[in-house]
Amino acid sequence: MARRRINGKVLWLGLAAALAALLILANAHLVYVAIGSQPECVPHAKSAGEAGKFRAARAVC
């Protein structure tokens, strides 16, 4: 059986294309999660000065 050598240029181009595809898919997933998720309301201090609790900068709910 004869063995074929893989051309180095083709190998590097394939690796570069695979890496680019991976980066594009990862960024698309991050955008999807950022747009699709909506955090629930959590209990927080309504007024300043309550010890041990954080106060929201601007409450949405």
Side-chain angles (χ1 to χ4, degrees), residues 4-57:
R4 286 186 75 187
R5 284 188 65 197
I6 297 175
N7 189 358
K9 192 177 206 180
V10 172
L11 179 66
W12 287 112
L13 285 174
L15 286 173
L19 180 62
L22 181 68
L23 289 173
I24 290 170
L25 288 173
N27 284 321
H29 174 69
L30 287 174
V31 170
Y32 170 76
V33 169
I35 291 173
S37 67
Q38 179 65 30
E40 297 292 327
C41 291
V42 294
H44 62 277
K46 303 290 183 192
S47 61
E50 293 183 34
K53 290 187 177 180
F54 292 106
R55 184 170 162 213

